[in-house]
Amino acid sequence: MLIALTSVKGSPGVTTLALSLLLAWQRPALLAELDPAGGDLRPRILPSLTGSHQLLNLATLDERLTSAHLTRQVVSLDPPDHSRVLLPGLSDPATSAPVAQIWDELAEVLAGYQHRAGDPYVDVLADCGRLGHAHTPSPVLARADVVVVVLRARLDAVALATPVLQHLRRRPDARILPVLVQDGPYSPRDIDSALGAQAERIAFDAKGAALLESGRWGKKLEHTALLRSARALSRSLIRTDDARRSPEAFLEAGQRRV
């Protein structure tokens, strides 16, 4: 399953949500930092990591991109298990132009990523940053099984997100999921009414986010409202994917194509 996370305006916490989902995920998963404005996780949680592992290296290949190339650039967050791995993003936003040339190939690889040949496919969480950047990874958004649009409970955020969600919903083969960071003055019911859809909820938890971004992933983080809500969202996404992959779902899809 390929899940693309994005936002429309401001800093609603896309990267924080992506990392918390990775830590809460119950299946092997890769978090790919694809934000063309630059990656946040290297300075936050991997300050000693050199440029030997990063997204930019994939743009220097002289052959077609494969899962094996991607695997050489990822970093394990729980060695030696390798069930949660990270592709560090750009350290310099000025290098987004050459990376944008490989978005199509990377989207194809991410949609069927295997950490090792012969292993089951790995779920991918792709942090695509804010929509509207000149080098937004649009092919990744187009290939995603689920597009998560993160927003805060504010009128400006909802007003801008509503037409974007309507545009994204024109894709019949993807689930478009608004996720509301609950830190605004408006109730979830009001937000759902304005969006025309029921948004999933993520707790606004400054203390939990601080623990997450410091790399202190012990029991304190496990019991935060942020991780509890991330677990609930991850379970919902995995249940939906399991239902989509069921024999009944495949049969229904085949009947619709006839």
Side-chain angles (χ1 to χ4, degrees), residues 241-251:
D241 185 56
D242 287 341
R244 181 177 63 88
R245 294 172 182 272
S246 68
E248 293 80 5
F250 281 121
L251 179 61

Side-chain angles (χ1 to χ4, degrees), residues 6-10 35-37 128-138 141 164 167-168:
T6 188
S7 67
V8 178
K9 183 176 186 281
D35 187 346
C128 296
R130 188 172 69 181
L131 292 172
H133 191 283
H135 301 303
T136 293
S138 299
L141 290 161
V164 171
H167 175 74
L168 291 171

Side-chain angles (χ1 to χ4, degrees), residues 4-233:
L5 297 96
T6 188
S7 67
V8 178
K9 183 176 186 281
S11 300
V14 174
T15 301
T16 297
L17 174 59
L19 181 57
S20 61
L21 281 175
L22 179 67
L23 296 182
W25 211 252
Q26 297 302 305
R27 304 193 302 209
L30 160 70
L31 170 53
E33 273 197 296
L34 309 184
D35 187 346
D40 296 328
L41 295 181
R42 184 190 301 271
R44 287 184 191 178
I45 64 174
L46 300 166
S48 62
L49 185 68
T50 68
S52 59
H53 296 78
Q54 61 174 318
L55 172 64
L56 182 61
N57 292 339
L58 298 176
T60 65
L61 298 172
D62 56 3
E63 56 187 326
R64 188 164 184 82
L65 182 63
T66 67
S67 285
H69 294 126
L70 179 55
T71 296
R72 295 187 193 112
Q73 300 304 323
V74 303
V75 179
S76 177
L77 298 184
D78 51 2
D81 185 46
H82 299 296
S83 62
R84 295 178 295 193
V85 295
L86 167 68
L87 172 64
L90 299 175
S91 56
D92 181 358
T95 59
S96 61
V99 170
Q101 303 302 311
I102 64 164
W103 284 148
D104 285 305
E105 290 182 32
L106 184 59
E108 182 179 347
V109 170
L110 292 176
Y113 178 62
Q114 291 175 288
H115 188 64
R116 287 180 293 263
D119 284 355
Y121 293 121
V122 173
D123 293 321
V124 175
L125 306 166
D127 178 356
C128 296
R130 188 172 69 181
L131 292 172
H133 191 283
H135 301 303
T136 293
S138 299
V140 177
L141 290 161
R143 287 292 300 266
D145 300 299
V146 182
V147 178
V148 171
V149 181
V150 186
L151 66 155
R152 293 184 185 268
R154 298 197 302 254
L155 286 181
D156 59 340
V158 173
L160 288 171
T162 300
V164 171
L165 290 169
Q166 291 172 346
H167 175 74
L168 291 171
R169 289 190 189 111
R170 294 174 186 170
R171 283 186 53 202
D173 56 339
R175 180 187 179 196
I176 311 304
L177 182 65
V179 171
L180 181 67
V181 180
Q182 298 177 211
D183 72 328
Y186 301 97
S187 72
R189 181 179 297 179
D190 291 338
I191 297 295
D192 289 347
S193 177
L195 290 174
Q198 183 174 349
E200 294 281 353
R201 320 294 186 208
I202 285 291
F204 178 72
D205 179 7
K207 290 183 179 180
L211 286 171
L212 182 78
E213 294 167 8
S214 70
R216 298 195 297 271
W217 301 338
K219 290 184 178 179
K220 285 186 177 180
L221 178 62
E222 289 295 317
H223 296 295
T224 61
L226 174 62
L227 258 291
R228 287 198 300 270
S229 58
R231 285 193 204 98
L233 177 56

